[in-house]
Amino acid sequence: MSRRVRRKVAKKGKDDVVSLSYPENEVEDLGPERNGFVDWTSLPDDTVIQLFSCLNYRDRASLSSTCRTWRVLGVSQCLWSSLDLRAHKFDTAMATALASRCVNLQKLRFRGAESADAIIHLQAKKLHEISGDYCRKVTDATLSVIVARHEALESLQLGPDFCERITGDAIKSVAFCCPKLKKLRLSGIRDVFADAINALAKHCPNLIDIGFLDCLNVDEAALGNILSVRFLSVAGTSNMKWGVVSHLWHKLPKLIGLDVSRTDIGSTTVSRLLSSSQSLKVLCALNCPVLEEDTSVSTIKTKGKLLLAHFSYISRGLSSLFAETTKKGRNVFLDWRYSKNKDKNLNEIMTWLECILSYTLLRTAENNPQGLDDFWLKQGAALLLSLMQSSQEDVQERAATGLATFVVIDDENASIDCGRAEAVMRDGGIRLLLNLAKSWREGLQSEAAKAIANLSVNANVAKAVAEEGGINILVGLARSMNRLVAEEAAGGLWNLSVGEEHKAAIAEAGGVKALVDLIFKWSPGGDGVLERAAGALANLAADDKCSIEVAIAGGVHALVMLARNCQFEGVQEQAARALANLAAHGDSNSNNAAVGQEAGALEALVQLTRSPHEGVRQEAAGALWNLSFDDRNREAIAAAGGVEALVTLAQSCSNASPGLQERAAGALWGLSVSEANSIAIGQEGGVAPLIALARSDAEDVHETAAGALWNLAFNHSNALRIVEEGGVPALVHLCSSSVSKMARFMAALALAYMFDERHLQQLLLHQLQQHWHK
């Protein structure tokens, strides 16, 4: 019997004073610093305000409550001009509590329908910008109330996820209530009819930036009535009547930028727009299959206008917008940001292009259409990295999310495209992502950590992340009070911990304690962060030294708590796997016994073998197998119903994966070391399924099944059952044909013992006794 280490592959209180340490020599009076102490309340007001500006609203409010001075500074209006609520629970109660600080609030970002419903309770009537995501459940009624209370609104953006319950009625409310509106971008609306668009044309004379993205139907003729529009995007919108577009949109007098990416636009419409529009400067048509497949596309005359498509070199095209001929570098956006010659129109175009390109690249990465490998390797990765350096936070976030997404080719098996991952690394992407992860903005932290996590599935990228100090950064983010940040950081540590060379570094950086603390912090309710934390601990527990640190940090209790209480299968699987790995070092530490002695551990693992999810059953059986090496655990498992549960599992896994079969037989092998358990296994019907598993095609299953049958054969009743159930031919077959030397040896031992002369006499006596009783 062999012990296997289960390892997932690739996949401050109340005091206002803080004590500091100083050398023991006399120093001059430094004002707020005296006798080795710093009085933070003596800092200049502007310094405190600057520090407060780097905190999220919750931490800012908490810190301002520590003393009277900071309470006054904490409500300074300059700190509350912008509010990002996405990472926190924001409801009516929280909005009411924040209302007094939000009198001059101008910019708001929210997430989800509950937050949308609470916005009006902020009483922020001076709001200029509202941006929301996860708006699938936001209704017409909610949006209408929001815009009715915020008549000074200049920008409204909802997306990129689809606004499934918003209709043209809400758009009309926006038009009637927000006459100062300049930017409107909505995603995933089913129908944008003429009456809604005409209302915008009539009541919003300053509307210059419109985006109806990924909609089903948009009235093309009505869009031609919005004469103020300068930038227009219908990217991803279906059922466009391109004939109407080609005859009307070129007449829009102020239209500078048009985005038709991810649509079925053809070369005729593109040619008409480029040749007929007097104002148009940029037409973006990325990922437009009909256009790209048209052989006549090369004959389109752009008339000095810029056409961006997959078949064009985008950076070179963008360079043509600059009067300076030196702007020919690969990172055109970076060149523009540092340009000394500021052109207002060019700035507007480049700012708009950053938005629409980041959106389109993200959507394209999400859909992962075939045939774009060359684009991603030669242009896409570099574009995303360039956009990640934008001064627009939402662009940075989308670019980082795009990087996290475009490398993934198989979500289920955590498989990534190595070429794309290494393209990011070659272009300096790892350092850029790590710098972004160090931002004080939590949205950027989260998306950067997600990208680092996904990219780190590749061993070369993981090495680069570690060499660039990424482990310390991720461990720091794992301590975040923001669940989304902590979740993505834990995911990064999970993937990095696959590499044996990174385990010690994670432990040295305090990663073990940070991960264990995450479990206690986010239980219950944070399934994503819990799964990632447990998965990372499982990988770390496969290392002998790290497994000791996991136990010292309270990891056994934390993991057992997850196994007992969490209902999410991903968390259950990783918790069981981590416990299995902790129990796999019985010869070198006491973790095996410690897991068994943890209240409810064995009962929870036995229960998990009945899970409807195969991965959970497999890891639970593996944990019981490793735990069965300890004598006390072995009997306690049986007392917890482990024999019955594992026999049932063995009976049901004839068509399961070899991993589950191996662990089910292995756990029975471990329990069968005890004579009482061996008898119980036979009586519960465990012989037949073990014989069936001995016939498996997988050599690992051969070993565990043969080992279990060998132990069972020591009992004459079980030996008889083996004979009666056809076990002899199965064992003979293993002896002669199994690839596994261990399986052949175990099978031979079982046969040798069964047919030992003394054992044969016991078998014969047993048969005679049975015959006599009949």
Side-chain angles (χ1 to χ4, degrees):
M1 177 166 50
S2 62
R3 179 178 287 106
R4 303 295 178 92
V5 176
R6 307 299 162 194
R7 174 177 175 272
K8 184 169 185 175
V9 179
K11 263 218 170 229
K12 166 205 289 231
K14 299 178 181 178
D15 299 330
D16 297 328
V17 177
V18 179
S19 175
L20 300 178
S21 176
Y22 290 90
E24 294 182 4
N25 61 320
E26 292 186 4
V27 295
E28 60 181 329
D29 187 357
L30 296 178
E33 179 186 323
R34 295 181 181 92
N35 301 321
F37 291 90
V38 171
D39 183 355
W40 293 97
T41 61
S42 298
L43 287 172
D45 290 354
D46 57 348
T47 301
V48 175
I49 290 175
Q50 182 64 34
L51 291 171
F52 276 20
S53 70
C54 296
L55 302 175
N56 62 61
Y57 80 89
R58 181 191 56 200
D59 292 343
R60 192 183 303 160
S62 298
L63 195 56
S64 66
S65 69
T66 58
C67 68
R68 185 178 303 163
T69 302
W70 284 12
R71 186 177 299 113
V72 173
L73 294 175
V75 296
S76 300
Q77 295 304 319
C78 62
L79 292 173
W80 298 92
S81 62
S82 177
L83 202 54
D84 187 347
L85 305 167
R86 292 172 299 163
H88 312 283
K89 180 178 175 60
F90 179 70
D91 52 18
T92 300
M94 181 58 72
T96 303
L98 289 172
S100 63
R101 296 177 171 90
C102 296
V103 175
N104 294 316
L105 184 67
Q106 295 188 5
K107 183 177 180 180
L108 176 68
R109 303 185 74 176
F110 73 92
R111 172 167 290 165
E114 184 181 18
S115 294
D117 292 335
I119 288 174
I120 60 172
H121 298 283
L122 285 173
Q123 300 180 25
K125 296 182 179 181
K126 297 181 181 180
L127 262 178
H128 289 174
E129 298 180 34
I130 295 179
S131 177
D133 54 24
Y134 289 82
C135 295
R136 290 184 181 272
K137 295 183 179 181
V138 175
T139 65
D140 279 358
T142 298
L143 183 55
S144 297
V145 171
I146 290 174
V147 297
R149 300 288 185 91
H150 303 97
E151 297 180 359
L153 206 60
E154 296 180 0
S155 173
L156 176 63
Q157 301 184 72
L158 302 179
D161 44 292
F162 293 178
C163 305
E164 297 175 344
R165 301 176 68 180
I166 291 177
T167 71
D169 291 338
I171 297 175
K172 286 189 287 185
S173 296
V174 173
F176 297 147
C177 298
C178 304
K180 298 181 180 180
L181 195 67
K182 296 180 180 180
K183 180 190 294 184
L184 177 65
R185 292 180 184 166
L186 303 174
S187 300
I189 296 178
R190 180 178 177 85
D191 298 302
V192 187
F193 294 130
D195 56 346
I197 297 175
N198 288 329
L200 291 170
K202 181 179 180 179
H203 299 284
C204 302
N206 301 315
L207 187 57
I208 62 173
D209 189 337
I210 302 173
F212 292 122
L213 313 170
D214 296 293
C215 299
L216 186 62
N217 296 289
V218 175
D219 192 291
E220 305 87 348
L223 279 173
N225 297 327
I226 307 181
L227 304 181
S228 60
V229 66
R230 291 166 61 83
F231 302 100
L232 174 61
S233 176
V234 290
T237 292
S238 310
N239 304 314
M240 294 292 294
K241 298 180 180 64
W242 296 112
V244 175
V245 169
S246 63
H247 283 86
L248 292 178
W249 288 10
H250 72 275
K251 299 177 183 179
L252 290 167
K254 298 180 181 180
L255 185 64
I256 297 175
L258 176 61
D259 178 22
V260 294
S261 299
R262 301 181 295 110
T263 67
D264 58 355
I265 193 171
S267 59
T268 301
T269 305
V270 170
S271 180
R272 180 69 182 271
L273 289 168
L274 291 172
S275 63
S276 302
S277 176
Q278 299 299 308
S279 59
L280 189 64
K281 293 185 180 296
V282 181
L283 195 159
C284 186
L286 295 173
N287 193 20
C288 296
V290 175
L291 178 65
E292 292 160 6
E293 293 169 7
D294 192 335
T295 57
S296 67
V297 70
S298 59
T299 65
I300 295 178
K301 297 181 179 180
T302 61
K303 299 275 186 178
K305 301 175 177 66
L306 175 60
L307 173 61
L308 299 179
H310 283 162
F311 51 77
S312 65
Y313 195 78
I314 295 173
S315 292
R316 189 177 302 156
L318 292 173
S319 298
S320 68
L321 295 173
F322 294 87
E324 303 170 57
T325 58
T326 56
K327 302 298 181 184
K328 301 295 182 181
R330 194 178 186 193
N331 196 333
V332 180
F333 287 105
L334 195 61
D335 292 339
W336 161 63
R337 294 182 203 112
Y338 288 98
S339 174
K340 296 179 180 179
N341 298 322
K342 298 299 182 181
D343 182 291
K344 181 180 179 182
N345 290 328
L346 179 60
N347 289 346
E348 286 183 342
I349 293 172
M350 295 299 284
T351 299
W352 177 74
L353 281 170
E354 283 190 332
C355 292
I356 61 106
L357 285 175
S358 61
Y359 188 95
T360 289
L361 290 172
L362 174 56
R363 280 293 193 221
T364 304
E366 289 171 341
N367 297 326
N368 195 27
Q370 297 295 314
L372 290 185
D373 283 346
D374 194 57
F375 168 76
W376 285 121
L377 292 175
K378 293 182 177 179
Q379 298 194 69
L383 278 171
L384 287 169
L385 291 172
S386 178
L387 293 168
M388 212 166 64
Q389 300 169 73
S390 170
S391 60
Q392 301 180 77
E393 184 179 349
D394 56 341
V395 171
Q396 289 181 300
E397 288 183 20
R398 282 196 294 269
T401 307
L403 284 174
T405 306
F406 95 108
V407 296
V408 179
I409 56 178
D410 186 350
D411 250 339
E412 192 67 29
N413 295 310
S415 299
I416 70 168
D417 186 295
C418 293
R420 297 180 185 182
E422 295 187 9
V424 174
M425 183 170 64
R426 284 195 303 271
D427 288 333
I430 304 306
R431 172 46 49 193
L432 288 174
L433 284 166
L434 291 173
N435 286 339
L436 207 62
K438 291 188 290 186
S439 166
W440 62 269
R441 294 183 173 92
E442 293 173 323
L444 297 179
Q445 291 174 354
S446 174
E447 298 307 322
K450 181 191 296 181
I452 293 166
N454 287 356
L455 289 162
S456 295
V457 172
N458 178 278
N460 292 330
V461 176
K463 181 180 179 181
V465 169
E467 290 174 347
E468 293 279 0
I471 289 176
N472 285 309
I473 293 171
L474 289 171
V475 170
L477 294 179
R479 300 188 181 103
S480 173
M481 293 300 294
N482 182 318
R483 181 181 59 81
L484 298 177
V485 174
E487 181 175 318
E488 300 302 346
L493 293 172
W494 187 4
N495 288 337
L496 283 167
S497 63
V498 170
E500 296 295 331
E501 67 274 27
H502 304 313
K503 289 182 169 66
I506 292 172
E508 289 171 5
V512 171
K513 188 177 187 308
L515 291 164
V516 171
D517 288 347
L518 276 181
I519 295 175
F520 292 119
K521 185 186 298 182
W522 298 110
S523 295
D527 292 340
V529 66
L530 296 177
E531 180 181 14
R532 288 161 175 79
L537 288 171
N539 286 348
L540 293 168
D543 176 84
D544 187 21
K545 292 182 179 179
C546 290
S547 72
I548 296 173
E549 290 207 29
V550 173
I552 292 172
V556 173
H557 179 64
L559 293 163
V560 170
M561 178 180 68
L562 292 182
R564 294 179 64 184
N565 301 328
C566 189
Q567 300 303 308
F568 178 57
E569 66 270 18
V571 178
Q572 292 174 337
E573 180 178 345
Q574 297 310 317
R577 187 171 71 90
L579 290 170
N581 284 357
L582 284 171
H585 306 281
D587 296 335
S588 56
N589 62 54
S590 60
N591 286 346
N592 191 304
V595 173
Q597 292 166 14
E598 182 69 30
L602 302 179
E603 292 82 359
L605 289 167
V606 168
Q607 185 61 36
L608 290 180
T609 64
R610 303 185 177 99
S611 169
H613 305 284
E614 182 173 318
V616 178
R617 297 197 301 272
Q618 176 174 312
E619 299 302 342
L624 291 172
W625 180 11
N626 286 346
L627 288 164
S628 67
F629 282 85
D630 181 269
D631 294 340
R632 285 179 295 180
N633 287 344
R634 190 182 306 124
E635 304 313 317
I637 291 169
V643 171
E644 297 89 347
L646 288 166
V647 167
T648 300
L649 181 61
Q651 291 170 338
S652 67
C653 70
S654 58
N655 296 317
S657 67
L660 176 55
Q661 292 178 340
E662 179 197 9
R663 288 158 178 78
L668 287 172
W669 183 11
L671 291 183
S672 66
V673 171
S674 161
E675 183 178 1
N677 290 343
S678 177
I679 294 171
I681 290 169
Q683 292 174 344
E684 288 291 333
V687 171
L690 284 168
I691 293 172
L693 291 175
R695 299 189 178 102
S696 167
D697 294 331
E699 60 180 277
D700 288 341
V701 183
H702 294 169
E703 294 178 8
T704 54
L709 289 170
W710 173 45
N711 280 352
L712 293 178
F714 280 83
N715 177 267
H716 59 271
S717 297
N718 285 337
L720 181 60
R721 292 188 182 98
I722 294 172
V723 173
E724 293 174 344
E725 295 287 352
V728 173
L731 289 168
V732 170
H733 181 73
L734 285 183
C735 286
S736 61
S737 62
S738 177
V739 176
S740 168
K741 186 180 295 186
M742 177 65 77
R744 297 197 301 270
F745 179 64
M746 291 294 178
L749 285 177
L751 288 169
Y753 191 78
M754 286 170 59
F755 293 103
D756 179 82
E757 183 178 350
R758 289 168 296 176
H759 202 54
L760 283 172
Q761 291 175 355
Q762 288 181 327
L763 282 173
L764 180 59
L765 179 61
H766 181 73
Q767 287 180 309
L768 289 173
Q769 287 174 340
Q770 285 187 322
H771 179 72
W772 178 260
H773 286 301
K774 291 180 180 179

